[in-house]
Amino acid sequence: MISFLVCLAVLIGGYFVYGRIVEGIYGPDDRETPAVRINDGVDFVVMPKWKLFLIQLLNIAGLGPIYGALAGAQWGTSVFLWITLGTILAGGVHDFSVGFMSMRHDGASVSELTGIYLGNIMKTIMRIFSVVLLVMVGTVFAVGPAGLISLLIGNHGGSGLLTNTYFWLAIILVYYFIATFIPIDKIIGKLYPVFGICLLVMAVGVAIGIFTHGYSIPEIEFANLHPSTTPIWPMMFVSVACGAISGFHATQSPLMARCCKSEKESHMVFYGAMVCEGVIALIWAAAGSAVYARTGGLTVGLTEMLANGQATCVYDICTKTMGGVGIILAMLGVIACPITSGDTAFRSARLVIADWFKIEQKQYRNRLYICVPLLAAGALISQLNYGVIWRYFSWSNQTLAMIALWTASMYLYKNAKNYWITVVPATFMSAVSVTYFFCAPECLHLSTAIAYPIGLVAALVFLGLFFHATAEHHELFKHFHLFHHT
């Protein structure tokens, strides 16, 4: 229990200490933000800071810090350290960097930012990568809740159309279309802060319930407690994405960057929301470790519960820690949170495409040109068996985070700022992504004896390429400077 409380204190302290260091390096000032300068009443809309914080939290979180944290807890309480240090040193920096850079570039999406600082080839890759990932995320976050709603109604005596998954899928996709199409302050700006508060209340309720119902949170153990002995590195670092660092956040931060009245809101809106997500993840990892007893020193109980479905595990924990109130909050969480993350995924996809083809979004007609094909693609994908493809999401997610951090590193270098705050986590995430690709069962599935050295070498190569690029840039600058004075 002491380990949990220390990690919680470090997380909160990290917001006030390291978050301010990051803010000081980027140097927000009083220049006009895109929300003020462009203000098209659709995507560029000024909203209060507290709303932006709660919307950003809901957009980046959903069920990510719950499902990911529970999955990570299968390896044991060492997951507490990854959530804590990952959030402060990597996730918070990642989210702040993308949000801040987006404000400095007229609310540009992460793919456009990548092109500015890493070149056109990377921009094209990120454009395609982002849209495919976002449509896949949005679709899965529609199918899951649709199936759960129909199941709940059927279990409580319902019948007919209301127990049909496709009926609820159609309802959710129609909602997605509306939320993706209309101005951001109409539904997202009004309703999502409420859901953000509910997400926080659910986490606080679970935390209190752990203590009041007699559960004991184990201390941190540096041992692999996964029943299948799946290695901690890099599996745990990929499984716990939201709650430590997640590339999906890079697609969401520009949404709020287009709504900030001042650059100085970045600390609370971007870094603060990530720290809050880390706190939520830490609580759920603690719950998974405390509620389910170990067998033979391994997390067999948690693993068996997760095998029955992640939503089932969430219901079970909420019921055991909060009783009847927990059931209501769990229903809200596992249904509303995925939907609210899914629609912002489609909205982000619309903006990526709009940036890509330079399509102005103030006109209804222009938004329709993008929204209709996007939602049609989502409807088609929802009919496919994409279970195997979805297993690649975690790896793709962390790879996107890696690219976003290298983009931020080049931004900081070109602006003569301390780039080590992004270079270190970028190198680390490079090792994670490459190692996972070589050893994961759904990827190349090579032995760790092969994958580990390859991951390390690849990370060092990426680091070397960064310094090579900065050296070339420095030489070009010197030649230009001499030519100018000549």
mmCIF file of all heavy atoms in Angstrom, residues 270-287:
data_model
loop_
_atom_site.group_PDB
_atom_site.id
_atom_site.type_symbol
_atom_site.label_atom_id
_atom_site.label_comp_id
_atom_site.label_asym_id
_atom_site.label_seq_id
_atom_site.Cartn_x
_atom_site.Cartn_y
_atom_site.Cartn_z
ATOM 1 N N PHE A 270 -3.064 19.901 -21.347
ATOM 2 C CA PHE A 270 -2.372 18.765 -21.953
ATOM 3 C C PHE A 270 -1.575 17.939 -20.932
ATOM 4 O O PHE A 270 -1.839 16.748 -20.762
ATOM 5 C CB PHE A 270 -1.465 19.251 -23.089
ATOM 6 C CG PHE A 270 -2.218 19.980 -24.164
ATOM 7 C CD1 PHE A 270 -1.984 21.323 -24.413
ATOM 8 C CD2 PHE A 270 -3.191 19.341 -24.917
ATOM 9 C CE1 PHE A 270 -2.683 22.011 -25.387
ATOM 10 C CE2 PHE A 270 -3.903 20.014 -25.894
ATOM 11 C CZ PHE A 270 -3.645 21.358 -26.129
ATOM 12 N N TYR A 271 -0.644 18.570 -20.247
ATOM 13 C CA TYR A 271 0.133 17.831 -19.252
ATOM 14 C C TYR A 271 -0.761 17.396 -18.090
ATOM 15 O O TYR A 271 -0.670 16.269 -17.605
ATOM 16 C CB TYR A 271 1.292 18.694 -18.742
ATOM 17 C CG TYR A 271 2.388 17.892 -18.078
ATOM 18 C CD1 TYR A 271 3.508 17.475 -18.789
ATOM 19 C CD2 TYR A 271 2.288 17.529 -16.734
ATOM 20 C CE1 TYR A 271 4.509 16.723 -18.179
ATOM 21 C CE2 TYR A 271 3.283 16.779 -16.119
ATOM 22 C CZ TYR A 271 4.391 16.375 -16.847
ATOM 23 O OH TYR A 271 5.374 15.620 -16.241
ATOM 24 N N GLY A 272 -1.648 18.283 -17.661
ATOM 25 C CA GLY A 272 -2.534 17.977 -16.536
ATOM 26 C C GLY A 272 -3.485 16.839 -16.816
ATOM 27 O O GLY A 272 -3.705 15.967 -15.960
ATOM 28 N N ALA A 273 -4.080 16.815 -18.009
ATOM 29 C CA ALA A 273 -5.004 15.727 -18.358
ATOM 30 C C ALA A 273 -4.274 14.394 -18.399
ATOM 31 O O ALA A 273 -4.807 13.365 -17.981
ATOM 32 C CB ALA A 273 -5.673 16.012 -19.702
ATOM 33 N N MET A 274 -3.010 14.403 -18.884
ATOM 34 C CA MET A 274 -2.237 13.164 -18.926
ATOM 35 C C MET A 274 -1.919 12.671 -17.523
ATOM 36 O O MET A 274 -2.003 11.469 -17.236
ATOM 37 C CB MET A 274 -0.945 13.403 -19.720
ATOM 38 C CG MET A 274 -0.078 12.155 -19.886
ATOM 39 S SD MET A 274 -0.876 10.823 -20.794
ATOM 40 C CE MET A 274 -0.682 9.455 -19.660
ATOM 41 N N VAL A 275 -1.560 13.581 -16.621
ATOM 42 C CA VAL A 275 -1.289 13.182 -15.231
ATOM 43 C C VAL A 275 -2.556 12.620 -14.594
ATOM 44 O O VAL A 275 -2.510 11.616 -13.863
ATOM 45 C CB VAL A 275 -0.749 14.367 -14.413
ATOM 46 C CG1 VAL A 275 -0.738 14.041 -12.922
ATOM 47 C CG2 VAL A 275 0.661 14.731 -14.873
ATOM 48 N N CYS A 276 -3.673 13.249 -14.869
ATOM 49 C CA CYS A 276 -4.946 12.768 -14.327
ATOM 50 C C CYS A 276 -5.250 11.368 -14.852
ATOM 51 O O CYS A 276 -5.714 10.498 -14.111
ATOM 52 C CB CYS A 276 -6.061 13.744 -14.715
ATOM 53 S SG CYS A 276 -7.569 13.521 -13.771
ATOM 54 N N GLU A 277 -4.966 11.129 -16.120
ATOM 55 C CA GLU A 277 -5.160 9.799 -16.682
ATOM 56 C C GLU A 277 -4.218 8.798 -16.010
ATOM 57 O O GLU A 277 -4.597 7.648 -15.755
ATOM 58 C CB GLU A 277 -4.910 9.805 -18.191
ATOM 59 C CG GLU A 277 -5.219 8.461 -18.832
ATOM 60 C CD GLU A 277 -4.882 8.420 -20.308
ATOM 61 O OE1 GLU A 277 -3.770 8.838 -20.671
ATOM 62 O OE2 GLU A 277 -5.726 7.975 -21.090
ATOM 63 N N GLY A 278 -2.992 9.233 -15.726
ATOM 64 C CA GLY A 278 -2.057 8.367 -15.016
ATOM 65 C C GLY A 278 -2.564 7.986 -13.637
ATOM 66 O O GLY A 278 -2.403 6.846 -13.198
ATOM 67 N N VAL A 279 -3.188 8.941 -12.943
ATOM 68 C CA VAL A 279 -3.763 8.666 -11.623
ATOM 69 C C VAL A 279 -4.877 7.626 -11.747
ATOM 70 O O VAL A 279 -4.960 6.679 -10.948
ATOM 71 C CB VAL A 279 -4.298 9.962 -10.979
ATOM 72 C CG1 VAL A 279 -5.128 9.647 -9.733
ATOM 73 C CG2 VAL A 279 -3.147 10.898 -10.626
ATOM 74 N N ILE A 280 -5.728 7.786 -12.758
ATOM 75 C CA ILE A 280 -6.814 6.822 -12.984
ATOM 76 C C ILE A 280 -6.241 5.434 -13.250
ATOM 77 O O ILE A 280 -6.702 4.427 -12.697
ATOM 78 C CB ILE A 280 -7.697 7.270 -14.161
ATOM 79 C CG1 ILE A 280 -8.452 8.561 -13.802
ATOM 80 C CG2 ILE A 280 -8.695 6.179 -14.552
ATOM 81 C CD1 ILE A 280 -9.178 9.205 -14.967
ATOM 82 N N ALA A 281 -5.216 5.372 -14.089
ATOM 83 C CA ALA A 281 -4.593 4.089 -14.411
ATOM 84 C C ALA A 281 -3.957 3.456 -13.177
ATOM 85 O O ALA A 281 -4.062 2.236 -12.968
ATOM 86 C CB ALA A 281 -3.542 4.280 -15.506
ATOM 87 N N LEU A 282 -3.300 4.261 -12.358
ATOM 88 C CA LEU A 282 -2.660 3.744 -11.142
ATOM 89 C C LEU A 282 -3.696 3.136 -10.203
ATOM 90 O O LEU A 282 -3.482 2.068 -9.615
ATOM 91 C CB LEU A 282 -1.907 4.877 -10.444
ATOM 92 C CG LEU A 282 -1.112 4.494 -9.191
ATOM 93 C CD1 LEU A 282 0.038 3.546 -9.545
ATOM 94 C CD2 LEU A 282 -0.575 5.744 -8.497
ATOM 95 N N ILE A 283 -4.837 3.810 -10.062
ATOM 96 C CA ILE A 283 -5.904 3.298 -9.195
ATOM 97 C C ILE A 283 -6.431 1.959 -9.705
ATOM 98 O O ILE A 283 -6.617 1.005 -8.924
ATOM 99 C CB ILE A 283 -7.057 4.326 -9.094
ATOM 100 C CG1 ILE A 283 -6.592 5.550 -8.286
ATOM 101 C CG2 ILE A 283 -8.297 3.696 -8.461
ATOM 102 C CD1 ILE A 283 -7.571 6.709 -8.306
ATOM 103 N N TRP A 284 -6.646 1.855 -11.011
ATOM 104 C CA TRP A 284 -7.183 0.610 -11.555
ATOM 105 C C TRP A 284 -6.158 -0.513 -11.524
ATOM 106 O O TRP A 284 -6.520 -1.680 -11.312
ATOM 107 C CB TRP A 284 -7.716 0.841 -12.966
ATOM 108 C CG TRP A 284 -9.085 1.436 -12.937
ATOM 109 C CD1 TRP A 284 -9.415 2.753 -13.006
ATOM 110 C CD2 TRP A 284 -10.317 0.721 -12.775
ATOM 111 N NE1 TRP A 284 -10.779 2.914 -12.905
ATOM 112 C CE2 TRP A 284 -11.353 1.694 -12.763
ATOM 113 C CE3 TRP A 284 -10.653 -0.621 -12.644
ATOM 114 C CZ2 TRP A 284 -12.698 1.345 -12.624
ATOM 115 C CZ3 TRP A 284 -11.987 -0.974 -12.512
ATOM 116 C CH2 TRP A 284 -12.991 0.007 -12.502
ATOM 117 N N ALA A 285 -4.882 -0.184 -11.713
ATOM 118 C CA ALA A 285 -3.844 -1.210 -11.580
ATOM 119 C C ALA A 285 -3.790 -1.717 -10.145
ATOM 120 O O ALA A 285 -3.639 -2.926 -9.892
ATOM 121 C CB ALA A 285 -2.487 -0.634 -11.995
ATOM 122 N N ALA A 286 -3.944 -0.794 -9.192
ATOM 123 C CA ALA A 286 -3.968 -1.174 -7.776
ATOM 124 C C ALA A 286 -5.189 -2.042 -7.475
ATOM 125 O O ALA A 286 -5.099 -3.021 -6.716
ATOM 126 C CB ALA A 286 -3.973 0.072 -6.901
ATOM 127 N N ALA A 287 -6.332 -1.687 -8.074
ATOM 128 C CA ALA A 287 -7.555 -2.469 -7.856
ATOM 129 C C ALA A 287 -7.396 -3.889 -8.382
ATOM 130 O O ALA A 287 -7.778 -4.868 -7.714
ATOM 131 C CB ALA A 287 -8.742 -1.779 -8.522
#
